[in-house]
């Protein structure tokens, strides 16, 4: 519970028990509401010409609000006009009555309260403002787009020490007064975001620990791997890696690369990938239980957003008509075609990145820096990852604009509109993020051909090749660069940009406030001093403080969810190639959850509190990601990594399979994965210049090796290749079936709602029935 301690400059609510969200907090809020006399504030530019269309539309809109019995106070401040809006008690009486007789919303705590929570007042007034039309048919949003009104926002509570209470987290931020707010301050929708983010962060702990253990396991056997020794001591001459400037090279030259590969391509990653696929299901099932506990406490277990929209529509206009359900096959087909074209464009950008990497590798190999020239392919991979990150930043804005144009605006409800937009936006972002990774994971080094028959882009540039130690390191580099850049830079820009915007707006407003002189100094800081009638600027002090903050909209919370769900995708999909992904996600979230809270409280205007009982379509998106994680990790282990080739060699072709004793079972594996190209072959000679076939010691080579399972005479695929292919396919099928079975068992074993919640709801329903009967 919370105890109130009156202080000289405000009210401080001190925590004595932080077990979840305490509804007793609501009992203290009437005191806070004495300081808040307006539900919403509209801001417009001052128009001197009273015949100007903007002035006439301002007056018309305010008149329509007054006809709905809204109290509107107008204050002119320099070149701005502020309108304070407050709804009468009758509107909320009607709203609460309709909640009581509704089908799904009648369990809400709002209808039982002796007062109307400020969050409810804001939500109702917000709906009325945005559904009030002037004679020209324009609503508030359209009037804002045409410059009639500059801004419309609800007000933050006066604050100095704000505490956003969410399970297991307590954040303290310095402001201007001492007040604490419960979960209802931003509404259940924002509370559920923090609840989900907090729960996700907690569940990342075991995943991060296991990922570190897998990494340390590989590090422990770092110096004892026979594969590393075989590469570092090899005298094998490899074929040139690029055209013109690349010469034949010794396999031992890539000793460092060979040492890095086993850190992310070992037996431990197989078990870890299986764990993460099951972890995703367990996380979602436990989240459903966790959420059910809190939405039951908040009295929104059966809440229906569509039904609340109907109630608000009736409150706003008793003669309103519902937005009917509709479906157009023509429109759906058109949207499907346009979405497909957008995805083709995104995949085309991925191909452009592939071309960039190939061309960059060629140019770097021709450079003057010896280190860059010797590691041209690795540097090209890193540059491609950086370019991919910046491409993602640009495409995020393009994707948002396209998704905004494609989603159904005039649908039956706000919730359905959000679902439509979310699905399209996430699909675009998912393809933007993962298209390049899919190429690196499943196509890099597998479609590049062989000496004498290389696959070339536009018949000119050779495609990239994998290192003889495997292709998984390239995928690891791509994921590490993108994840570190994306999380670090996003957090910096998400916080720094709003802070600078708020700082400069605050500086401008303070210059305006100083014009008030002694009145501002004495009256604004002592608002309750009796016998003093402050001037208009003093009355505006709170409004100006909120006006200074950065604007918020639907995308404010959507962007936070999108960022975290994409991170969840990164943490589960392709995690076999990057076991440290959960650890990086955990570190990021520890900062993310605090920065988001600071930003919402101190740098942004107050979000309109929305009631809901779930995280919406995001839960379906997370479930889809869980399924994709099973498929992707199975393919990464079965197709991308060398786990299966090593397994086949150990038990079918290696020394142990042939009965040799006192020798490591993997001895000779690297040489077994290499094929030989004869320089005497005319087709092979056409692919290389004579200068490329000279070693550093000046000898002309007559043959060179490359990674593949081919016959040295006619270059046909060997029987070992087909055996490995069959085992790969069998492993992928087995892996996915086993993991899916475990996922189904986990989903069945963990009920969506705790028995305590079900029993409490049963008792509550019984008590309400008895109450109605009396």
């Amino acid at each position: 519970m919370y105890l109130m301690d009156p202080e000289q400059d405000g009210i401080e609510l001190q925590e004595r028990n932080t077990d979840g969200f305490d509804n007793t907090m609501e009992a203290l809020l009437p005191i806070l509401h004495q300081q808040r006399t307006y539900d919403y504030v509209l801001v417009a530019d001052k128009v001197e010409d009273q015949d100007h269309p903007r002035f006439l539309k301002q007056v018309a809109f305010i008149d329509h609000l007054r006809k709905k019995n809204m109290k509107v106070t107008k204050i002119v401040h320099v070149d701005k006009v502020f309108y304070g809006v407050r709804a009468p008690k009758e509107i909320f009486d009607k709203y609460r009555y309709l909640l009581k007789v509704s089908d799904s919303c009648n369990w809400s705590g709002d209808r039982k309260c002796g007062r109307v929570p400020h969050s409810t007042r804001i939500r109702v007034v917000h709906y009325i403002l945005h559904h009030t039309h002037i004679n020209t048919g324009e609503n508030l949003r359209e009037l804002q787009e045409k410059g009639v009104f500059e801004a419309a926002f609800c007000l933050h509570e006066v604050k100095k020490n704000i505490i956003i209470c969410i399970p297991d987290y307590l954040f303290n931020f310095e402001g201007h007064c001492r007040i604490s707010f419960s979960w209802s301050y931003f509404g259940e929708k924002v509370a559920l975001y923090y609840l989900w983010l907090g729960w996700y962060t907690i569940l990342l702990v075991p995943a991060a620990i296991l990922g570190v253990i897998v990494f340390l396991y590989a590090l422990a056997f770092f110096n004892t791997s026979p594969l590393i020794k075989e590469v570092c001591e090899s005298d094998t001459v490899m074929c040139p890696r690029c055209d013109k400037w690349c010469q034949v090279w010794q396999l031992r030259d890539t000793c460092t690369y060979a040492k890095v590969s086993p850190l992310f391509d070992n037996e431990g990653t197989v078990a870890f990938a299986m764990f993460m696929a099951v972890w995703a299901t367990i996380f979602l099932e436990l989240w459903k239980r966790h959420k059910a506990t809190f939405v039951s406490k908040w009295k929104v277990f059966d809440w229906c957003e569509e039904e609340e929209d109907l109630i608000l529509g009736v409150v706003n206009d008793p003669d309103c008509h519902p937005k009917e359900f509709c479906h157009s096959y023509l429109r759906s087909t058109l949207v499907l075609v346009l979405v497909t074209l957008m995805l083709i464009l995104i995949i085309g950008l991925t191909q452009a990145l592939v071309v960039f990497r190939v061309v960059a590798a060629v140019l770097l190999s021709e450079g003057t820096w010896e280190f860059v020239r010797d590691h041209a392919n690795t540097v090209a991979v890193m540059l491609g990852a950086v370019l991919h990150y910046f491409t993602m930043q640009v495409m995020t804005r393009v994707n948002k604009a396209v998704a905004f144009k494609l989603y159904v605006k005039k649908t039956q409800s706000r919730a359905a509109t959000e679902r439509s937009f979310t699905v399209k936006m996430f699909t675009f972002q998912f393809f933007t993020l993962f298209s390049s990774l899919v190429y690196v994971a499943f196509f890099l080094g597998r479609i590049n051909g062989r000496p004498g028959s290389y696959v070339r882009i536009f018949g000119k540039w050779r495609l990239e090749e994998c290192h003889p130690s495997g292709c998984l390191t390239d995928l690891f580099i791509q994921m590490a660069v993108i994840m570190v850049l994306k999380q670090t830079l996003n957090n910096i820009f998400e916080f720094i940009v709003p802070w600078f915007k708020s700082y400069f707006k605050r500086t401008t407003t303070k210059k305006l406030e100083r014009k008030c002189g002694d009145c501002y100094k004495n009256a604004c800081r002592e608002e309750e001093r009796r016998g003093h009638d402050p001037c208009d600027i003093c009355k505006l002090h709170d409004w100006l403080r909120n006006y200074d903050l950065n604007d918020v909209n639907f995308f404010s919370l959507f962007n936070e969810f999108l960022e975290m769900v994409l991170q969840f995708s990164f943490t589960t999909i392709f995690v076999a190639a990057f076991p440290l992904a959960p650890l990086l996600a955990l570190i990021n979230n520890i900062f993310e959850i605090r920065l988001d809270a600071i930003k919402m409280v101190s740098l942004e205007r107050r979000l309109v509190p929305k009631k809901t009982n779930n995280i919406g379509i995001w839960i379906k998106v997370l479930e889809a990601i869980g399924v994709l994680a099973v498929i992707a990790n199975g393919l990464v282990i079965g197709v991308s990594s060398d786990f299966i080739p090593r397994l086949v060699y150990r038990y079918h072709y290696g020394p142990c399979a042939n009965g040799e004793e006192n020798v490591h079972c993997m001895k000779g594996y690297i040489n077994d994965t290499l094929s030989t190209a004869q320089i005497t072959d005319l087709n092979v000679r056409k692919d290389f210049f004579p200068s490329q076939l000279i070693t550093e010691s000046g000898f002309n080579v007559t043959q060179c090796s490359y990674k593949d399972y081919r016959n040295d005479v006619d270059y046909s695929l060997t029987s070992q290749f087909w055996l490995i292919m069959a085992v790969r396919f069998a492993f992928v099928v087995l892996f996915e079936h086993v993991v899916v079975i475990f996922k189904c068992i986990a989903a069945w074993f963990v009920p969506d709602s705790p028995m305590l919640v079900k029993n409490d709801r049963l008792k509550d329903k019984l008590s309400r029935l008895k109450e109605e009967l009396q």
Side-chain angles (χ1 to χ4, degrees), residues 511-522:
K511 291 179 181 178
L512 298 176
E513 288 175 341
R514 290 192 189 104
K515 294 181 180 181
C516 187
D518 185 68
C519 181
Y520 163 70
K521 180 179 178 180
N522 295 328

Side-chain angles (χ1 to χ4, degrees), residues 62 65 119 237 262 440 468 480 492 510 528 538 571 578-579 606 609 629 637:
I62 299 302
L65 292 181
S119 57
V237 177
V440 174
I492 292 174
K510 283 184 177 180
E528 296 182 6
C538 295
T571 307
F578 193 22
R606 185 175 180 177
I637 297 170

Side-chain angles (χ1 to χ4, degrees), residues 271-286:
F272 185 63
M274 295 182 66
F275 167 81
M276 287 303 297
V278 177
W279 173 88
T281 298
I282 294 176
F283 160 69
L284 290 177
E285 295 303 318
L286 292 178

Side-chain angles (χ1 to χ4, degrees), residues 200-354:
Y200 169 47
T201 303
I202 291 171
L203 266 290
L204 275 174
V205 173
I209 292 174
L210 188 58
V212 172
I213 291 174
V214 169
F215 179 77
L216 294 177
Y217 163 80
L219 201 61
F221 297 95
F222 183 76
N223 294 321
T224 60
S225 173
L227 305 183
I228 297 176
K229 184 177 180 181
E230 187 174 349
V231 172
C232 294
E233 298 178 357
S234 175
D235 292 326
T236 303
V237 177
M238 304 296 293
C239 295
R241 287 173 286 190
C242 65
D243 296 328
K244 295 183 181 180
W245 298 98
C246 295
Q247 291 181 301
V248 290
W249 52 286
Q250 298 285 337
L251 180 59
R252 63 171 175 265
D253 294 343
T254 58
C255 180
T256 302
Y257 198 101
K259 290 179 179 179
V260 173
S261 296
L263 296 178
F264 305 97
D265 189 0
N266 56 72
E267 293 78 5
T269 57
V270 179
F272 185 63
M274 295 182 66
F275 167 81
M276 287 303 297
V278 177
W279 173 88
T281 298
I282 294 176
F283 160 69
L284 290 177
E285 295 303 318
L286 292 178
W287 156 248
K288 292 174 185 176
R289 289 175 58 85
H290 194 58
K291 177 210 64 171
T293 302
F294 285 94
V295 297
S296 178
K297 288 182 179 180
W298 302 340
K299 304 298 183 183
V300 291
F301 195 94
D302 295 317
W303 187 266
C304 177
E305 294 180 62
E306 285 85 355
E307 191 165 337
E308 191 198 21
D309 281 346
L310 293 176
I311 292 173
L312 291 172
V314 174
V315 170
N316 179 53
D317 180 10
D319 298 324
C320 68
H321 299 283
K323 292 182 179 179
E324 298 181 354
F325 291 88
C326 59
H327 181 267
S328 170
Y329 287 102
L330 177 61
R331 192 192 191 296
S332 298
T333 304
L334 181 61
V335 169
L336 183 61
V337 170
L338 293 175
V339 168
T340 304
L341 291 175
M342 188 64 186
L343 296 181
I344 291 174
L345 172 63
I346 294 172
I347 295 173
L349 288 175
T350 301
Q351 303 309 311
L353 288 173
V354 173

Side-chain angles (χ1 to χ4, degrees), residues 10-25:
I11 302 170
E12 179 179 6
L13 302 178
Q14 299 178 343
E15 178 205 11
R16 296 295 178 88
N17 182 358
T18 59
D19 184 18
F21 293 86
D22 197 333
N23 287 331
T24 59
M25 187 79 174

Side-chain angles (χ1 to χ4, degrees), residues 25-80:
M25 187 79 174
E26 296 289 337
L28 300 173
L29 291 179
I31 300 173
L32 307 182
H33 293 158
Q34 293 174 7
Q35 301 178 21
R36 178 70 58 242
T37 56
Y38 294 96
D39 304 314
Y40 230 85
V41 174
L42 304 177
V43 184
D45 291 325
K46 183 179 178 182
V47 180
E48 300 291 350
D49 184 4
Q50 297 188 0
D51 294 326
H52 195 282
R54 281 194 302 168
F55 180 83
L56 295 176
K57 289 181 179 181
Q58 280 182 28
V59 173
F61 188 80
I62 299 302
D63 286 343
H64 276 75
L65 292 181
R66 288 192 171 116
K67 288 178 182 178
K68 295 180 179 181
N69 295 325
M70 294 283 196
K71 176 186 175 183
V72 181
T73 301
K74 176 182 177 181
I75 300 179
V76 179
H77 178 64
V78 192
D79 60 343
K80 301 292 181 184

